[in-house]
Amino acid sequence: MKKQITELTGVKEIARRANVSIATVDRVLHNRKGVSEQTKEKISKIIEELNYKPNLLAQRLASRKTLRIATLIPESSNETSFWEAPLQGIEQADAEIKQLGIIVDKYFYDQNLIDSFVDQTRIILESKPDGILLAPSFIEESVVFTEKCRELKIPYVLIDSDLPNQGSLSYIGPNLYHSGYLGAHLVSYLTGPEDKTLIVNISREIDNHHHLLKKEEGFRAYFKDHHKPDNIIKIDIRETDLKSIEHQLSKVFEENNDIKVVFVTNSRVSTVAHFIESLGKDLILIGYDFLKENIGYMDKGVIDFLVCQKPKQQAYRGLMSLYQHLAFSSPVEKIYFMPIDILTKENSSFYRN
Amino acid sequence: MKKQITELTGVKEIARRANVSIATVDRVLHNRKGVSEQTKEKISKIIEELNYKPNLLAQRLASRKTLRIATLIPESSNETSFWEAPLQGIEQADAEIKQLGIIVDKYFYDQNLIDSFVDQTRIILESKPDGILLAPSFIEESVVFTEKCRELKIPYVLIDSDLPNQGSLSYIGPNLYHSGYLGAHLVSYLTGPEDKTLIVNISREIDNHHHLLKKEEGFRAYFKDHHKPDNIIKIDIRETDLKSIEHQLSKVFEENNDIKVVFVTNSRVSTVAHFIESLGKDLILIGYDFLKENIGYMDKGVIDFLVCQKPKQQAYRGLMSLYQHLAFSSPVEKIYFMPIDILTKENSSFYRN
DNA sequence: ACTATATTCGGGTACGTTAACGTATATAAA
DNA sequence: TTTATATACGTTAACGTACCCGAATATAGT
């Protein structure tokens, strides 16, 4: 004897009301073919009326297919540990959805080797994943890659930096311009009219240099917009080893002794901190990203502010929205700008990266 | 003919290996009685070996019981819209888990009427929910309530402010002391040795005044810890209407004309902003919370910084961890301090409350 | 030895959905 | 008309777990 505790909703109920079998209901739900226009309409109407929402549990359970998502981000090098955070985000998301029939394949490339990026994209495409999470450091190569994805109808989500007009499912990351703008806003509180500000870009040409340029652009725009004198000096350092950096910095400081604020446009601020500490001057130092090294210098009082954009969350969110999209075809925000967080010595210990 | 695509794990496999029925395995898994020591041990061993993890989807699907969670927070009044955000968080979580067999019952109390709080707690207890999310504004009454919850073995999560040592499942909210400490840190960047700072507490006695005191404590502690002269004036305003506030403020400013920074210890900073704007002085104003009114004054440049702790997230997280706990008995962080976010004119539009 | 009761266990249905497979009917081609 | 072929739809096993119900066996009481 079957006890029917059946809800008043669900495919069964729809089928009952429409006087058809659940299979037919299923067909219109997934608009597969094999249903006459007439019955299709009838069923659709009932679905509407009942405001039917499928039971996600049952859906995933019954659907035998396991989804595969590939992730491609830089490996964290000994030069910067920045990419540890996104990796953690990926791993957290992985842990949460693996029990739901999703497999996450992680791929990495060397930020200094374009070829490694291209290689990995090839391997990924061969594996034919259902979705891709991508940190597109190399712009041109990424464009090529994402075009192929679109051909193959593989949805992809970008994190950390955007490729405009490339039809990604979503971009999740910073608004670089505004984060620079914010940096300048902070600086404006901290400087008098005589003080000079030094902008430091540390990056090999090969990196996604535009990242830094966007920030600098925002930074300068602030002073322009507020009609403030921008006593700004700028230095581009193209060798990312400690020695070159210190060498170049000391040159700048010899030539300018009225620098009050130093604004470093990326996470390599800790090396600058190292230099400034040895300099012994009382400067204000602003940089980017919640890295152990940086926090260390902030706790010591060498770094004053860090601007940060939750890299771990970016990756986590990216994977999750990919999952939501693939598993339940739920809508995804096309652009999700991360909040621009300001870290100081006094709130960094509460920060969630 | 049954096609068995059976995994190598799952109750079926355990049953097969142990040479028993799945019902018996189920008994062991939920350690219900009705299994001999012998077979119990045998099964347990196999479970261990296979490192069996139940399929959460199937588990929830098969479990007929729907969980009920009650939430109790202040209603948002016309004096402050602060509690709109937590309510949004509750609603978002509700939307996400309602399809998973969870019912969320929302209750509200008037922050100015203790009785309304007590009434609601009584009603909640009568409804015998499986879990409770609570914003415990009234300390003593909340203690009484949570004690009853413990007697009835109903787990509860606290948000916004903590009841120490009350055996809650979790506290999710600010670390008030540190948020005050951070405020002082910001102030220290913005003041010279001669400048005075005004602390403004706006709150009826009936509110959870300790909230403000904790912040003030942290604020003062900063100056002490850093051996800075604390040119601090403080004012307690016990009438929360605009008129009283302006009256009291103007008195203070008449008596002190060297005030440089104003630190308001809660979200009512917008009323102070209104006053300061009319005053026409170039002061630095720091306050709390991402409210429309406050953001308005920040955009106008009257409020310089807002400290904020994601009230929406607090409620969302609280409900979700309650759900995770009840549905899957997953572990819950006992204390989850929210990040202490710094908002300025330039990053507020990217903020996620 | 025979009933009464407790203990231990298996069979089987249900949760809500998917999808393979089969059947009936309509339409077109011979 | 017969046969092929597409179209429309229904039946049913399966996903992995929960738990009711009853059967088999053991133990105790007379």
Side-chain angles (χ1 to χ4, degrees):
Chain A
M1 189 192 63
K2 306 196 179 189
K3 277 188 281 183
Q4 281 293 72
I5 321 180
T6 311
E7 312 244 348
L8 317 94
T9 171
V11 276
K12 280 212 201 82
E13 174 65 10
I14 299 174
R16 199 184 60 76
R17 295 204 192 193
N19 223 359
V20 296
S21 77
I22 58 170
T24 304
V25 175
D26 193 64
R27 285 187 187 97
V28 338
L29 277 172
H30 298 82
N31 55 295
R32 284 187 286 249
K33 59 175 187 174
V35 187
S36 71
E37 266 313 311
Q38 241 189 350
T39 51
K40 184 171 182 173
E41 220 166 286
K42 182 169 60 173
I43 293 175
S44 297
K45 213 174 132 198
I46 296 178
I47 291 175
E48 190 87 2
E49 276 174 22
L50 291 177
N51 185 25
Y52 167 77
K53 294 274 178 287
N55 181 315
L56 302 182
L57 297 176
Q59 205 166 50
R60 281 299 308 159
L61 183 61
S63 161
R64 285 138 180 75
K65 57 169 170 269
T66 62
L67 299 168
R68 279 181 309 112
I69 301 178
T71 67
L72 181 56
I73 61 173
E75 61 198 359
S76 69
S77 67
N78 50 3
E79 272 183 5
T80 167
S81 59
F82 177 78
W83 288 96
E84 274 174 25
L87 179 56
Q88 281 171 29
I90 290 172
E91 279 165 352
Q92 189 189 324
D94 183 17
E96 286 181 25
I97 59 181
K98 91 159 87 200
Q99 33 184 345
L100 308 178
I102 278 77
I103 294 175
V104 177
D105 293 319
K106 311 188 209 35
Y107 299 86
F108 304 93
Y109 59 89
D110 185 331
Q111 245 180 326
N112 292 326
L113 299 175
I114 292 195
D115 285 350
S116 73
F117 178 80
V118 177
D119 284 353
Q120 295 301 309
T121 61
R122 202 172 30 69
I123 295 175
I124 289 175
L125 285 180
E126 275 165 14
S127 78
K128 294 186 192 306
D130 298 293
I132 298 173
L133 180 77
L134 175 67
S137 292
F138 305 112
I139 300 186
E140 284 180 37
E141 291 73 15
S142 297
V143 169
V144 172
F145 177 47
T146 55
E147 268 167 8
K148 282 187 198 144
C149 290
R150 279 200 289 174
E151 274 174 35
L152 298 170
K153 303 214 187 267
I154 304 176
Y156 59 92
V157 169
L158 302 177
I159 57 170
D160 191 59
S161 71
D162 201 3
L163 299 174
N165 311 321
Q166 280 300 313
S168 68
L169 179 64
S170 174
Y171 165 64
I172 298 172
N175 182 314
L176 298 168
Y177 179 88
H178 273 94
S179 88
Y181 204 91
L182 167 70
H185 182 58
L186 287 179
V187 168
S188 79
Y189 278 105
L190 306 169
T191 51
E194 304 301 316
D195 300 321
K196 276 194 182 154
T197 299
L198 173 66
I199 296 181
V200 183
N201 289 330
I202 306 175
S203 146
R204 307 194 184 194
E205 223 146 356
I206 208 170
D207 290 356
N208 53 350
H209 194 64
H210 71 292
H211 224 96
L212 310 190
L213 293 182
K214 276 276 175 207
K215 287 178 189 165
E216 185 183 333
E217 193 186 328
F219 192 91
R220 289 181 184 275
Y222 181 86
F223 287 96
K224 205 172 195 180
D225 289 354
H226 292 76
H227 310 292
K228 302 208 177 183
D230 61 339
N231 296 324
I232 298 178
I233 313 162
K234 173 195 164 177
I235 173 174
D236 278 308
I237 301 179
R238 294 315 184 98
E239 294 300 323
T240 56
D241 60 299
L242 190 57
K243 216 163 183 182
S244 312
I245 293 173
E246 306 221 323
H247 177 69
Q248 301 232 34
L249 283 176
S250 56
K251 219 169 62 185
V252 175
F253 275 95
E254 274 166 26
E255 291 164 8
N256 305 273
N257 60 6
D258 45 359
I259 292 174
K260 174 80 181 295
V261 176
V262 180
F263 180 71
V264 184
T265 49
N266 66 5
S267 61
R268 305 198 188 235
V269 56
S270 63
T271 58
V272 178
H274 181 263
F275 170 80
I276 288 184
E277 192 181 26
S278 70
L279 208 64
K281 274 196 179 176
D282 185 28
L283 297 173
I284 292 202
L285 180 54
I286 301 178
Y288 279 84
D289 297 328
F290 184 83
L291 304 188
K292 263 198 305 290
E293 312 88 273
N294 295 350
I295 297 301
Y297 280 109
M298 197 148 77
D299 287 342
K300 282 206 256 177
V302 183
I303 295 177
D304 292 90
F305 294 101
L306 287 172
V307 177
C308 192
Q309 308 225 227
K310 301 191 195 303
K312 183 178 164 188
Q313 286 293 318
Q314 286 179 32
Y316 175 82
R317 248 195 112 79
L319 252 183
M320 287 313 243
S321 39
L322 217 33
Y323 156 67
Q324 297 278 347
H325 173 74
L326 293 171
F328 311 123
S329 57
S330 22
V332 174
E333 273 185 64
K334 192 86 183 59
I335 295 189
Y336 188 101
F337 284 129
M338 277 287 147
I340 306 173
D341 296 320
I342 303 168
L343 266 60
T344 81
K345 194 177 165 177
E346 306 309 341
N347 71 353
S348 69
S349 63
F350 297 98
Y351 192 60
R352 311 275 170 171
N353 210 20
Chain B
M1 188 192 65
K2 306 197 177 191
K3 277 188 280 182
Q4 281 292 73
I5 321 179
T6 312
E7 311 244 348
L8 316 94
T9 171
V11 277
K12 280 212 201 82
E13 175 65 11
I14 299 173
R16 200 183 59 75
R17 295 205 193 193
N19 223 359
V20 296
S21 78
I22 58 171
T24 305
V25 174
D26 192 65
R27 287 186 186 97
V28 174
L29 280 170
H30 299 81
N31 54 293
R32 284 187 285 252
K33 60 176 189 175
V35 187
S36 70
E37 267 312 311
Q38 240 187 354
T39 51
K40 183 169 182 174
E41 220 166 286
K42 182 169 58 176
I43 293 174
S44 298
K45 213 173 130 197
I46 296 177
I47 292 176
E48 191 86 2
E49 276 173 22
L50 290 177
N51 185 26
Y52 168 76
K53 294 271 178 290
N55 181 315
L56 302 181
L57 297 176
Q59 205 166 52
R60 282 296 308 156
L61 183 61
S63 159
R64 285 141 176 73
K65 57 171 168 269
T66 62
L67 299 168
R68 279 182 309 111
I69 301 179
T71 67
L72 181 55
I73 62 173
E75 61 198 2
S76 69
S77 66
N78 50 2
E79 272 184 4
T80 168
S81 59
F82 177 80
W83 288 97
E84 273 175 25
L87 179 55
Q88 280 173 29
I90 289 172
E91 278 165 352
Q92 189 189 324
D94 183 17
E96 286 181 24
I97 59 181
K98 92 159 88 201
Q99 33 186 342
L100 308 178
I102 279 76
I103 294 174
V104 178
D105 292 319
K106 310 188 213 26
Y107 299 86
F108 303 92
Y109 59 89
D110 185 329
Q111 245 179 324
N112 291 327
L113 298 175
I114 293 195
D115 285 350
S116 74
F117 178 81
V118 177
D119 283 355
Q120 295 300 310
T121 62
R122 201 171 32 70
I123 295 174
I124 288 175
L125 286 179
E126 275 165 13
S127 80
K128 294 188 192 305
D130 299 292
I132 298 172
L133 181 77
L134 175 66
S137 292
F138 306 112
I139 301 187
E140 283 178 37
E141 290 73 15
S142 297
V143 169
V144 172
F145 177 46
T146 55
E147 268 167 7
K148 281 185 197 145
C149 291
R150 279 199 289 174
E151 274 173 36
L152 298 170
K153 302 211 187 272
I154 303 175
Y156 59 92
V157 168
L158 302 177
I159 58 170
D160 190 60
S161 71
D162 202 2
L163 299 174
N165 310 321
Q166 280 300 314
S168 69
L169 179 64
S170 175
Y171 166 64
I172 298 172
N175 182 315
L176 299 168
Y177 178 89
H178 273 95
S179 89
Y181 203 90
L182 167 70
H185 182 59
L186 287 179
V187 168
S188 79
Y189 278 105
L190 306 169
T191 51
E194 304 303 314
D195 300 321
K196 276 194 184 154
T197 299
L198 174 66
I199 296 180
V200 183
N201 289 329
I202 306 174
S203 143
R204 305 193 186 194
E205 222 145 358
I206 210 171
D207 291 356
N208 51 351
H209 194 64
H210 70 292
H211 225 95
L212 311 190
L213 294 182
K214 275 276 174 207
K215 287 177 189 165
E216 185 183 331
E217 194 186 326
F219 191 92
R220 290 183 183 274
Y222 180 87
F223 287 94
K224 206 172 193 178
D225 290 353
H226 292 75
H227 310 292
K228 303 207 176 185
D230 61 339
N231 295 326
I232 298 177
I233 313 161
K234 173 195 166 177
I235 173 174
D236 277 308
I237 301 179
R238 293 316 184 97
E239 294 301 324
T240 56
D241 60 299
L242 190 57
K243 217 164 183 179
S244 313
I245 292 174
E246 305 220 325
H247 178 69
Q248 300 233 33
L249 282 175
S250 55
K251 220 170 61 185
V252 175
F253 275 94
E254 275 166 26
E255 291 165 9
N256 306 272
N257 60 8
D258 44 0
I259 291 174
K260 174 80 181 295
V261 176
V262 180
F263 180 72
V264 184
T265 49
N266 66 5
S267 62
R268 305 196 188 238
V269 55
S270 62
T271 58
V272 178
H274 181 264
F275 170 79
I276 287 183
E277 191 180 27
S278 69
L279 207 64
K281 274 195 179 176
D282 185 27
L283 296 173
I284 291 198
L285 179 55
I286 301 177
Y288 279 82
D289 297 328
F290 183 83
L291 304 188
K292 262 198 305 290
E293 310 88 274
N294 295 350
I295 297 300
Y297 281 108
M298 197 148 77
D299 286 342
K300 281 206 257 177
V302 183
I303 295 178
D304 293 272
F305 295 100
L306 287 172
V307 177
C308 193
Q309 308 225 228
K310 301 191 195 304
K312 182 177 164 189
Q313 285 292 319
Q314 286 179 32
Y316 175 82
R317 249 197 111 78
L319 252 184
M320 287 312 242
S321 40
L322 216 34
Y323 156 65
Q324 296 279 348
H325 172 74
L326 292 171
F328 310 124
S329 57
S330 21
V332 174
E333 273 185 65
K334 192 90 183 54
I335 295 189
Y336 187 101
F337 284 129
M338 276 288 147
I340 306 173
D341 296 321
I342 303 169
L343 265 60
T344 82
K345 193 177 165 176
E346 305 310 342
N347 70 353
S348 70
S349 64
F350 297 98
Y351 192 60
R352 310 276 170 171
N353 210 21

